[in-house]
Amino acid sequence: MNRPLRLATVALTASAALLLSSCGSGDDESKDNDKIAGADKAGEERSASPSASDPAGAARPKVELPSDVKLFFKPEQTGDAAKDAILRDNSDFIRALNAAIVAGDPRLPALEFFTEGEAAASSQSWVKAFKNAGWTVTGTVKYFNRQVTVKSKTAASLTYCGDESKGYSKVIKTGQVKRTKVTKRSYILYGAQVEKNQEGVWELVKITSTRGAAVCQP
């Protein structure tokens, strides 16, 4: 554990050991890509708030985060109803992942609500890595350049960037914040695959991340 875990973005892998060693933003030795096993590769900015229920589908869980954990998403909406639904459920997945880490609960119902298959297993491993380390999350992460490609009525993909320059892990027992210097590796490119289930929820099924991607640099 020579580097701190960053505020929980969705750079997920199935190996807790890899997570604990590779998820810092420094320029020391690590792989540029964090991958789920089997994964393929401009709106108003607003702080994350509890999820609302979708009147046209499943009642989505209420996801709440402590005041020291702030997530921002840009854009939140595109004006296209299908794409906006996908962006909403992706945002809520990210909130649920952070909520699971804060709660120390890999099987948090809200997290399971927005994941399926490989992504569900990898999300649980990610939360367990924090729990086993005795760490939680704090700070601010911004997600930007969020783009959706709709493949069919039930399948889509997303790409987006994550700015972790002000997101950190924190030791639960002591309250120590594991701050790291800002480098190019503080910025991450994500590629996600989602599928719409029978209740109308766009569940995450696969995801990849590329830390230090040029397209996400400020």
Side-chain angles (χ1 to χ4, degrees):
M1 280 184 248
N2 58 343
R3 273 173 287 158
L5 290 162
R6 304 292 293 181
L7 181 63
T9 58
V10 286
L12 307 174
T13 78
S15 168
L18 178 59
L19 288 168
L20 287 168
S21 65
S22 69
C23 294
S25 66
D27 288 328
D28 41 355
E29 297 177 3
S30 68
K31 293 183 178 180
D32 286 338
N33 298 323
D34 301 318
K35 297 183 178 180
I36 283 182
D40 301 325
K41 186 186 183 249
E44 182 176 318
E45 190 173 84
R46 178 173 63 83
S47 178
S49 58
S51 306
S53 296
D54 177 9
R60 284 157 173 76
K62 184 177 181 180
V63 181
E64 296 181 329
L65 293 168
S67 61
D68 66 320
V69 179
K70 294 179 172 61
L71 307 177
F72 294 85
F73 303 89
K74 185 176 181 179
E76 289 189 324
Q77 296 182 341
T78 66
D80 180 282
K83 292 182 178 180
D84 290 350
I86 293 166
L87 288 177
R88 177 200 58 199
D89 285 349
N90 173 255
S91 298
D92 282 349
F93 157 70
I94 297 172
R95 295 181 182 113
L97 178 63
N98 281 271
I101 291 174
V102 171
D105 183 3
R107 301 298 299 272
L108 188 75
L111 181 58
E112 294 187 334
F113 186 89
F114 291 106
T115 58
E116 182 62 36
E118 294 172 8
S122 296
S123 297
Q124 290 172 20
S125 294
W126 178 246
V127 176
K128 287 176 183 176
F130 275 89
K131 183 177 181 180
N132 292 342
W135 292 355
T136 184
V137 291
T138 189
T140 299
V141 170
K142 297 179 180 180
Y143 299 93
F144 59 99
N145 290 348
R146 304 172 75 211
Q147 300 182 32
V148 178
T149 300
V150 178
K151 299 179 179 180
S152 70
K153 291 183 178 180
T154 59
S157 61
L158 301 87
T159 59
Y160 51 96
C161 296
D163 174 1
E164 293 187 345
S165 61
K166 296 182 180 179
Y168 312 102
S169 58
K170 181 171 69 174
V171 180
I172 295 173
K173 188 174 182 179
T174 65
Q176 178 189 6
V177 176
K178 297 287 188 176
R179 298 183 184 276
T180 56
K181 69 177 182 178
V182 178
T183 73
K184 67 179 183 179
R185 292 176 58 75
S186 301
Y187 303 91
I188 307 170
L189 174 66
Y190 296 100
Q193 294 186 25
V194 295
E195 294 180 358
K196 190 176 184 179
N197 66 18
Q198 293 182 347
E199 295 182 319
V201 179
W202 287 94
E203 297 175 313
L204 178 72
V205 294
K206 294 182 181 180
I207 192 167
T208 63
S209 67
T210 303
R211 188 172 288 275
V215 70
C216 295
Q217 299 302 310

